[in-house]
Amino acid sequence: MTSRLISRFDNGRTPLRREVTEEIKRYILDSRLRPGDPLPTENELCAALGASRSSIREAVKTLAALDIVEVRHGHGTYVGRLSLSALVEGLTFRGLLSPADDFRVLSELVDVRELVERGMADRIIASLRPEHLERLDGTVAEMEQGLREGLDVIAVDRRFHALLLEPLPNELLGQLSSACWDVHEIVAPHLSMVSVQDQADTVAAHRAMVAALHSGDAAAFARAVHAHYAPVRRRLAAARAGGAVPAPASHER
C-alpha cells in the first residue's frame, strides 16, 4: 500500500488536502476494495503520503460526506456504501433554497422517475414474478384503504415504486429511485398543492399500472406511468407559473 501511495508524492513536497483526497480514492480503486473493506490507519496514511494529520482528516471528512468512506469511531475507516447521498443533499438544499427551486427540483425528479419506469417497462414485466405482483396488488389495496380513511399514503406510494424496480438486476436504478424519493419527501412538505381528488387519481393510476403488469402489456404500462405523472407535472407547471393550486390535503406524490 505505502509504495503505491508514496510513488505519487516522491518530489518531496507536502500534498494538499485535495491531492490526499484523490489519492485515497485512487487507492480504493487500485486495491479493488469493496464497501465495508478497511482502509489504512490514519498513521499509515500520514506516513505514506507525507501529509499532516489535519490534511488526512479533512480528506477523510470530504470522502465521508460523499459516502465514499465511512468512519466508525473506535474501529477505523472503511469503504462506504457508495450511495447517492451527496446527490440527495445537493438537490434537497437547492430545493429548499427558494420557492422557485422547490418546483424546479420536483419537476426534474418527476422527469427522472417517469423516464426510468417507462424506459424499463419491458424489463420490469420480464422480471416480475407472481409474488412481486401480489405485493404490488397489496400496496395498491393499502393505498385505497388509506384514501378511504383519509390517511397520508406517501410511504405506501414509495414502497410501490420501489417494488417495481426491486426484481431488476440493477442496483443503481434502485438507488436513483430512492434518492429521488428522499429529496421529494424533504422538499414536498413545503409545497401546498395536492387535493383529495389528486390523491384519488394517484391511487387509480397505480391500479392501472398493476393491471397492465398483470396483462404483460409493456405499452399499456408505459401509458399508465405517463398518466400517473401527467397530473403531477400539470400542477407543478401551474405552481411555477403562479397559477391557482389545489388546496393541500397531503404530500405530493
Side-chain angles (χ1 to χ4, degrees):
M1 182 278 294
T2 55
S3 61
R4 182 182 298 122
L5 291 171
I6 289 175
S7 64
R8 292 174 56 79
F9 298 110
D10 55 6
N11 57 8
R13 68 182 179 84
T14 300
L16 301 175
R17 176 179 59 81
R18 182 179 180 85
E19 294 174 311
V20 175
T21 301
E22 293 302 314
E23 185 63 18
I24 294 174
K25 288 164 60 177
R26 182 175 295 277
Y27 170 76
I28 292 172
L29 294 174
D30 290 347
S31 301
R32 299 182 181 276
L33 299 182
R34 306 293 299 168
D37 287 346
L39 290 175
T41 66
E42 184 178 277
N43 287 338
E44 289 174 333
L45 289 172
C46 286
L49 297 178
S52 65
R53 285 181 178 273
S54 61
S55 293
I56 296 295
R57 289 173 182 172
E58 286 299 316
V60 169
K61 186 184 299 184
T62 297
L63 294 171
L66 297 172
D67 208 16
I68 292 175
V69 305
E70 176 188 359
V71 179
R72 303 176 190 173
H73 296 290
H75 296 279
T77 304
Y78 298 78
V79 179
R81 294 177 295 116
L82 306 177
S83 69
L84 301 180
S85 59
L87 173 66
V88 172
E89 291 292 334
L91 288 175
T92 299
F93 183 76
R94 196 180 82 182
L96 296 176
L97 195 59
S98 71
D101 277 342
D102 280 349
F103 298 117
R104 185 179 302 110
V105 168
L106 292 182
S107 294
E108 291 170 354
L109 292 179
V110 168
D111 288 341
V112 171
R113 288 169 57 189
E114 181 177 345
L115 179 63
V116 168
E117 292 174 358
R118 291 183 65 190
M120 300 299 289
D122 287 318
R123 295 187 187 182
I124 289 172
I125 289 174
S127 301
L128 285 175
R129 297 293 178 265
E131 59 268 25
H132 291 120
L133 287 170
E134 183 177 349
R135 290 164 66 192
L136 287 168
D137 278 325
T139 58
V140 174
E142 194 174 342
M143 291 175 69
E144 291 169 339
Q145 179 65 27
L147 181 63
R148 288 192 293 270
E149 297 177 0
L151 301 176
D152 185 348
V153 297
I154 191 169
V156 186
D157 193 352
R158 177 171 184 163
R159 189 168 0 116
F160 176 93
H161 290 274
L163 283 172
L164 282 179
L165 302 178
E166 183 180 279
L168 298 176
N170 189 320
E171 185 178 352
L172 180 59
L173 283 179
Q175 289 184 353
L176 182 60
S177 176
S178 181
C180 288
W181 274 100
D182 287 342
V183 177
H184 187 105
E185 291 180 355
I186 294 171
V187 175
H190 294 260
L191 310 175
S192 298
M193 52 182 304
V194 62
S195 68
V196 173
Q197 185 59 50
D198 291 335
Q199 293 187 88
D201 291 344
T202 294
V203 174
H206 284 77
R207 176 59 70 190
M209 291 164 67
V210 174
L213 292 174
H214 273 289
S215 66
D217 189 334
F221 174 76
R223 289 194 297 271
V225 170
H226 180 69
H228 166 45
Y229 288 114
V232 183
R233 191 171 282 110
R234 285 197 301 270
R235 289 194 296 274
L236 284 168
R240 292 180 66 180
V245 180
S250 176
H251 299 335
E252 176 59 83
R253 270 160 294 282

